[in-house]
Amino acid sequence: MEQLKEMLESNYPNIDFDNETQLMSSGVLDSLAVVAIIAEIENMFDISVTMEYIQPMYFESVETMWEMIEELS
């Protein structure tokens, strides 16, 4: 999970990924950011994020993104 967090913090330095738990529902991340994050996750972890995972609930926090990665690995 640390590798994911480092990537997110590098790409989005103004977001507090340690404490933010509503990245999508509060509008911190928009759909374009999610598309970019998906591309990074796919490359970094050598997985394919399928359509069923392209939903806001999987991008609310670092933890929810990590859970998705673990399910897809």
Side-chain angles (χ1 to χ4, degrees):
M1 182 161 62
E2 202 57 40
Q3 186 181 9
L4 171 64
K5 188 174 162 220
E6 288 174 13
M7 177 273 290
L8 292 168
E9 289 173 340
S10 172
N11 291 339
Y12 304 94
N14 297 328
I15 299 175
D16 181 6
F17 288 100
D18 286 323
N19 297 309
E20 187 61 62
T21 60
Q22 296 182 341
L23 292 167
M24 290 296 297
S25 57
S26 66
V28 175
L29 292 178
D30 61 15
S31 58
L32 293 177
V34 170
V35 169
I37 290 169
I38 289 170
E40 290 276 350
I41 286 172
E42 289 181 331
N43 288 332
M44 185 177 292
F45 298 100
D46 194 29
I47 60 174
S48 179
V49 178
T50 57
M51 289 301 294
E52 72 180 275
Y53 288 95
I54 303 176
Q55 298 181 40
M57 66 184 207
Y58 291 107
F59 296 92
E60 288 288 13
S61 68
V62 174
E63 289 79 15
T64 59
M65 287 183 235
W66 185 249
E67 289 170 10
M68 174 190 66
I69 291 166
E70 287 185 322
E71 287 180 26
L72 290 168
S73 295

